[in-house]
Structures are given as C-alpha cells and as structure tokens.
Amino acid sequence: MIPLPGKTIAEKIFSNHSGTDARAGDIVVADVDFVMGQDGTTPLAIRALANMGVTEVFDPEKVAVVMDHSSPSPLEGVSALHTMMREFGKQTGCTVYDVGEGVCHQLIPEKGHVVPGDLMVGCDSHTCTYGALNVFSTGVGSTDGAAAMASGKLWFKVPDTMKVTYEGALQPGVFSKDLILYLAGQIGVDGATYEAIEFHGPVIDELSVEARMTISNMAIEVGAKAGLMKADAKTLQWFEGRGEKTPNPQDPDPDAAYARELTIDASAIGPQVAKPHAVDNVSPIEEVEGTPIAEGVLGTCTNGRLEDLAIAASILKGRRVHPDVRFIVAPASRQILLDAIAAGYIQTLVEAGAALVTPGCGPCVGTHNGVPSDGENVISTANRNFKGRMGNSNAFIYLGSPATVAASVIEARITDPRKYFAG
Amino acid sequence: MELSAKAFKYGDDINTDYIISGKYKFKSADMEAMAHHAMEELDPHYYDKVKPNGGFLVAGKNFGMGSSREQAPLVLIHSNTKAVLAKSFARIFYRNAINTGLPVVECDTDLIDDGDDLVVDLEAGVVRNLTKGTEIPFPPLPPVMAQLLSDGGLVEHFKKYGGFNL
Ligand code: SF4
C-alpha cells in the first residue's frame, strides 16, 4: 500500500476537530471552538435560532456578538437590531461587544477567544483573518452561524490547499498589504475558490503578527476559505497574557500534499494599488500615481491596527492633509485607540487633519462615517472596492497600504510612499 | 425536484453587493421588502421581471463572491428566483444558498441565453433548454447538501432532527 502523504494545516485542524483522518475533499461534521456574529449578520442568526426552536447557545463562553458594522447606530432600524443583540447576550450569556469596542476581527483574537490550532466560524466573510494566527477560521452565513451556536458543530468540506511562498525581502515603503494585493492581481478574485491558502517563506517569517493578519484577512478576496500560517515564536508571544486558552500550534507536514504551489519574489514588488471596481484589478503604483482623490480611509479589519496607525503617523508627522481631502481614521479596536493615544499617533494624525471615528468598521461598508459623493475617488486601506461598497455606486474606490494612503492624502492624489522611506 | 421558468442572464463575478447592496442590509430585516432591491446594481428591474412568474438567475463564473450576507440568497428566494445556474460559485454564497433552501446548479451556462425557457431536474442532474431543444448535464449535489436542500434548508433540518443528522 502506498503510504498517505503528510497533512496540510487545514487537514490537521479538521482531523483534530472531527475525530477522523480528515483529507482534502472529505465532508466532515466538526466541533468548533468559537462562533462569532456581527451586527449585519447576527439578527438573522438570532431569527434562525428562534425558527429552530433553540433558546440557548451550546457554550456561552464560546460565542460572541459584535456591534461594529454600523456603530454607533446611524438609524432607528439599526438601533433595533443592536437592541436585539444586547437582549440575545442577556438571554444566552454570550459575550457582547457593544458600540466602540472595535471590529470583530480585531476583537476575537485580541481578547484571546481563539488560539493557534483552533477551528472557528464567524458570520462575516473576513473571519479568515485569524488564519495568520494558525486558527482555521472561516466566514459562514447566519444560518450556519446559528447551527454552530446551537450545537457547537458544523459541516465542512475539507479544502485543498494552495501553498504560496514569498521569497526575498520587502523593499522600504512596501508592506504586507502590497504582498496580498499583488497576489490578487496574479491569481484573480476566484484564484483560490474552495481552497485554503498556506502562506510561507522568509518574508512572512519577518513580518509582525499584525502585518500577517492583513494578508490572511484578504484570503477571501481570492476566493479562499482560509489563509493559514504557521504559529512561530512571535505568534505565541502575541498570545501571552490574552487569556486562559493554551495554544496547540499545527505545522504542516514536510510532505504535505498541496493542490498547487506558487513562489513570489517579494523583492521585486513595489507598492500596489487595486483600482475600481475589483480587488484583482491591481497595478503597480507607478501606473496610477497622480490620480486625484477626495477621501482617504485608514482603518478596517485589514489595516486598522497599531502598526498601521504608526506608519501613517510617521508619514504625516509635521505635515498636513490636503485641504481638498477628507481623511478618515478608524482604529480597529478600543485597545488600539488607547495604545495609539499613548504612543502619540492619534495626536499626530488629528493635528495633520484626520477625522477620527469610533473604533469599528468605519466607512468600510457604506452605512455611515464617510460615504463618498458622486464621481469621487477614494483611497482606502480596506479590503474591498466593489462598486457601491462605500454606499455610493457612483464613487470609485482604490485600495492600498496605510503608507500609500497617508502619502496620498497629503497631495490629494495617489502618491508613491517610498519617498518617505528613502535613505 | 423539477423546476421550470425563464432564464435571466448576467455575467461573471457577480458579487454580493450587486445581489443586495450592503447599504440595504441594515435598513430592514424584512426580506420581502428587501427583495425589491435584488440585483439592483446590475438590473434595476430584476424584481419586476422575475417576481410574477418566477425565473432562473443564470450567470458566468464565481457567482456570489464577496460578503457572507445571507440576505443575498434570501432576497433571491423572495424575488421568486427558482434556482441560480452558474459556471462556478463563491463558496460562502454556495453554502448559504443550500442552507436557506435556494437550489444552486453548477453547469455550462454558455449554452443558455437570456429569455430561454428551462426545466431544471435536480435529481437527474440535467438542465433542459426548451427554447434551444438541448440538454445540459451537471454533477448532482454531494449527499450532505442534497439532504439539506431536500429538508428545506438547515433550519428545517435542525427542527426535524434537533441537531445535525448528516
Ligand atoms: S472593517 Fe470592513 S471588511 Fe472588515 S468586518 Fe468591517 S465591514 Fe467587513
């Protein structure tokens, strides 16, 4: 008999959680370690639970709901949904993160709800963010979320894995956002549909944990079910003091079977920009430099972390946001806001002309906090630039790194940030 | 299960913001009201065209990419969309469709034009194009998904069995 090949990170985590020898293509019913919902999806999950006749969650310690997408509420309808979530929290005992706590994808790992080796689902497509922390985390719909909240289980198809290796080293002024935008440009918005991606290589090893999360966050933008990385010493250190749970890191076997392998020379990558209206419509910044912009956004679950605020503050220190630009800053969580205040970044950004909004999703999904006007161009650190994404289908969204956004808001046009990192 | 209706054809990479814009998802939890905005970014008259007699939404590759919003399959169901036929689907949309009871068919949609009369036989795995007199085979759903769909979605499955019974 031919021995079976080794396992990918995904196959290991699904094996551990389903009590089977899980292999790509298998359909398993697996135990989940955590379930999360946000304010756009939880109300439907609550309704699905009611329809199922379920009044309790399987384990209140393992469920959280987050008010982040439209928060504080801009509308009566939203206020009613937020009330429904608060009542759900009281009824079930699950954790409720109310207005001002931050974006779900920052809070779940920040508060130690998941650790390496876990399997979790969230009712939000960017739940793949925690793959950077060696968690198999994936986005599901509200009914799936409800089933997981009720039973602590969910059915999964164990995905094939695509291995992406970043060789070389990053140039100054180039960041993890540029690496993932470059990949999207290469493989397209459906380049990894139904698959998991594992990210490897010396460039990933060098990145901070925060910078790695930016990459895994956007795995869904190429269709992937998860964007996984190994847990190294940095990952384990990041989790210290965040909670009681013990990490159980899962490395892929050296002879794991990958569906495809792709190697990218990161040294050759400069700042990248995704142009309207698709995340894979990516160009090197040289091709879009000079495009006028009316709004800049720094924040979101992609790039609203402390390091991102630090990069923007380093560029804007002693400079001014162009008078023709609105520069909106949304820290990803209350803790990040506090840390950024302590480090002086908020002072710098606000002095430079930034409009600071509540920790949360900010203007990302077009419900409030900076809906662009007809015909306007926006440069954003977010992960999506679909038509209408920010609430106006006649606006144009460009995506780039925090450095690219900071450099661009100074000049009111898309600007290569490398000049601030020269020498 | 045999379904019959007209085809309403659109292109590749139709994302969830096109199916139902994020700006509406907070306006209301009433899917019947939201359904009026289904596919609005691509076709402002989708609801008016499909609602009276039902229809198949036919698309190219990667249908439903983007967000996890379950409002996407729900507004299609409430606008009387009988099934979505596409060359491929984004995975969260695909799961959500099955879980909410909207049939999804992966087949070669190049063989279907806007306005064609179709019959979709989910068990047999065939789309009959009555207008063109052709048949398009498709692989039947894996058993787990077929069971959920035949139970009427995940909620009904849970009601019936009190949990997962797959
Ligand atoms: S910040 Fe944007 S992408 Fe992230 S969870 Fe919020 S709305 Fe979604």
Side-chain angles (χ1 to χ4, degrees):
Chain A
M1 218 176 89
I2 308 163
L4 286 168
K7 287 185 178 177
T8 61
I9 297 175
E11 288 170 326
K12 286 194 169 179
I13 293 180
F14 278 112
S15 296
N16 293 344
H17 287 79
S18 67
T20 69
D21 179 29
R23 299 283 176 172
D26 291 354
I27 292 187
V28 297
V29 176
D31 292 321
V32 295
D33 297 296
F34 204 78
V35 190
M36 180 275 295
Q38 37 90 338
D39 46 357
T41 55
T42 304
L44 276 179
I46 295 173
R47 191 189 290 174
L49 284 168
N51 288 341
M52 287 171 184
V54 173
T55 53
E56 291 175 347
V57 297
F58 78 109
D59 182 347
E61 296 281 305
K62 296 185 178 173
V63 177
V65 297
V66 185
M67 293 168 223
D68 57 355
H69 276 58
S70 205
S71 153
S73 166
L75 289 169
E76 280 172 52
V78 178
S79 308
L81 299 176
H82 284 177
T83 300
M84 182 179 180
M85 290 170 70
R86 292 183 189 109
E87 282 168 1
F88 179 71
K90 290 209 179 87
Q91 174 203 326
T92 62
C94 77
T95 303
V96 176
Y97 290 111
D98 214 304
V99 170
E101 287 290 344
V103 188
C104 52
H105 304 309
Q106 180 60 25
L107 291 169
I108 299 305
E110 185 183 285
K111 304 289 185 186
H113 291 304
V114 290
V115 290
D118 275 357
L119 172 65
M120 76 90 59
V121 293
C123 300
D124 188 278
S125 59
H126 293 101
T127 302
C128 53
T129 308
Y130 339 126
L133 305 165
N134 197 240
V135 176
F136 192 102
S137 57
T138 193
V140 296
S142 301
T143 305
D144 268 329
M149 285 180 191
S151 66
K153 294 178 194 299
L154 204 57
W155 67 272
F156 296 91
K157 184 165 177 193
V158 181
D160 276 316
T161 297
M162 171 180 183
K163 181 179 183 180
V164 176
T165 307
Y166 288 101
E167 297 287 359
L170 285 177
Q171 298 174 24
V174 182
F175 297 90
S176 63
K177 180 63 161 286
D178 301 306
L179 294 176
I180 188 65
L181 287 176
Y182 180 82
L183 180 70
Q186 293 295 304
I187 69 173
V189 288
D190 59 349
T193 300
Y194 304 131
E195 294 178 328
I197 303 177
E198 279 184 19
F199 295 100
H200 291 276
V203 179
I204 302 292
D205 295 343
E206 278 298 309
L207 292 175
S208 69
V209 170
E210 295 192 335
R212 292 175 189 172
M213 287 167 80
T214 302
I215 293 180
S216 294
N217 174 267
M218 290 189 68
I220 179 72
E221 304 311 330
V222 292
K225 185 167 181 169
L228 297 157
M229 299 184 190
K230 288 190 286 193
D232 62 5
K234 274 189 233 177
T235 321
L236 296 176
Q237 197 192 354
W238 191 87
F239 276 102
E240 268 168 33
R242 290 195 193 272
E244 318 275 272
K245 295 179 71 173
T246 312
N248 180 20
Q250 300 295 314
D251 282 1
D253 288 326
D255 60 340
Y258 293 101
R260 276 178 302 158
E261 301 196 26
L262 186 66
T263 301
I264 294 171
D265 177 11
S267 316
I269 297 176
Q272 306 285 309
V273 173
K275 297 169 290 181
H277 297 287
V279 182
D280 60 356
N281 190 16
V282 172
S283 291
I285 197 158
E286 292 83 351
E287 288 174 23
V288 288
E289 254 186 305
T291 306
I293 55 144
E295 181 168 319
V297 175
L298 173 65
T300 79
C301 59
T302 320
N303 280 120
R305 284 176 274 275
L306 191 63
E307 185 176 300
D308 304 316
L309 301 177
I311 292 165
S314 76
I315 292 175
L316 281 157
K317 180 104 195 154
R319 298 192 170 88
R320 290 284 307 167
V321 172
H322 194 283
D324 294 341
V325 174
R326 307 174 297 275
F327 180 39
I328 296 165
V329 176
S333 73
R334 184 194 299 280
Q335 188 59 52
I336 289 170
L337 174 58
L338 286 169
D339 292 346
I341 289 171
Y345 306 147
I346 297 296
Q347 175 95 21
T348 301
L349 293 170
V350 173
E351 270 175 5
L356 183 71
V357 301
T358 311
C361 298
C364 185
V365 73
T367 58
H368 64 161
N369 275 346
V371 176
S373 188
D374 284 358
E376 284 186 337
N377 294 332
V378 178
I379 181 114
S380 169
T381 63
N383 44 37
R384 282 199 179 134
N385 59 350
F386 302 158
K387 194 169 183 237
R389 172 72 182 179
M390 290 180 67
N392 184 342
S393 31
N394 299 317
F396 301 86
I397 307 170
Y398 294 78
L399 305 176
S401 74
T404 298
V405 170
S408 300
V409 297
I410 295 170
E411 301 186 22
R413 54 200 168 109
I414 296 179
T415 304
D416 190 331
R418 279 175 293 193
K419 62 180 168 189
Y420 297 106
F421 296 86
Chain B
M1 193 168 24
E2 269 203 3
L3 308 163
S4 46
K6 263 195 193 322
F8 294 87
K9 191 160 181 194
Y10 303 89
D12 290 336
D13 296 324
I14 292 174
N15 66 57
T16 48
D17 281 79
Y18 293 166
I19 301 168
I20 182 71
S21 169
K23 70 182 173 208
Y24 295 121
K25 78 175 171 184
F26 287 104
K27 288 257 162 78
S28 166
D30 177 357
M31 289 305 139
E32 210 54 62
M34 290 244 287
H36 288 268
H37 301 290
M39 299 291 287
E40 186 176 76
E41 294 279 355
L42 293 175
D43 181 354
H45 305 296
Y46 182 82
Y47 180 87
D48 299 329
K49 290 199 260 187
V50 176
K51 184 71 181 181
N53 303 310
F56 293 118
L57 201 171
V58 179
K61 69 176 177 71
N62 199 26
F63 183 87
M65 70 177 202
S67 97
S68 67
R69 70 188 63 143
E70 217 162 32
Q71 288 91 339
L74 288 173
V75 295
L76 295 179
I77 291 171
H78 285 275
S79 60
N80 208 9
T81 306
K82 304 274 185 211
V84 183
L85 285 59
K87 287 186 203 166
S88 63
F89 290 89
R91 63 160 279 279
I92 302 180
F93 179 86
Y94 191 88
R95 277 189 85 100
N96 287 346
I98 303 280
N99 285 337
T100 51
L102 174 68
V104 274
V105 171
E106 218 172 70
C107 69
D108 184 358
T109 52
D110 284 342
L111 306 171
I112 303 169
D113 288 315
D114 192 57
D116 283 357
D117 283 305
L118 309 177
V119 176
V120 175
D121 186 332
L122 291 170
E123 275 83 37
V126 65
V127 178
R128 283 195 288 281
N129 189 329
L130 303 182
T131 306
K132 295 198 165 39
T134 51
E135 294 200 344
I136 311 162
F138 60 88
L141 289 176
V144 164
M145 299 179 211
Q147 156 120 45
L148 287 173
L149 210 51
S150 79
D151 287 340
L154 190 51
V155 168
E156 297 304 319
H157 179 84
F158 259 61
K159 276 212 278 222
K160 197 157 150 193
Y161 300 105
F164 280 107
N165 182 31
L166 296 170

